[in-house]
Amino acid sequence: MGLPICGMTWYSVTDQIDWDVALRERNGTVNALGLYDLDRNIRSVGSAYRRLIQQWSDTPVLLHGPFSIVGGLES
C-alpha cells in the first residue's frame, strides 16, 4: 500500500564556494544561494522557505495530489 507524499527541497542548504566556475578553480568565491550563510545564519529566503513549509504542513491528502486544490475537493 502506497502513501502519497508531497515534499519540498531547496538546493543548497548553505552557500556554495566556487560554483560559479563549476569548481574548476579555487577562487574562494562564495555564491550566496543557500537558505543559510556559511556562518549558519538564516537568510531571508530561509525564513520565507520555513513559512512556506509551515503553511503546507497541514495540507490534506487530496485525490489527485496537493496541487489539485484549484479544481476543489472531489467526493
Side-chain angles (χ1 to χ4, degrees):
M1 176 178 183
L3 296 174
I5 296 175
C6 176
M8 296 184 187
T9 189
W10 182 281
Y11 188 81
S12 72
V13 174
T14 60
D15 292 344
Q16 303 167 349
I17 299 175
D18 293 335
W19 278 63
D20 56 325
V21 292
L23 302 175
R24 291 180 306 232
E25 303 169 9
R26 285 189 169 188
N27 301 325
T29 303
V30 176
N31 306 121
L33 304 170
L35 299 176
Y36 295 83
D37 65 19
L38 295 176
D39 292 323
R40 298 184 181 182
N41 298 311
I42 193 165
R43 296 188 175 282
S44 58
V45 69
S47 297
Y49 189 70
R50 179 185 292 166
R51 286 191 303 275
L52 178 69
I53 297 300
Q54 289 170 342
Q55 290 169 353
W56 277 83
S57 66
D58 294 327
T59 301
V61 175
L62 304 176
L63 295 176
H64 301 291
F67 301 106
S68 64
I69 294 171
V70 175
L73 296 175
E74 297 179 25
S75 54

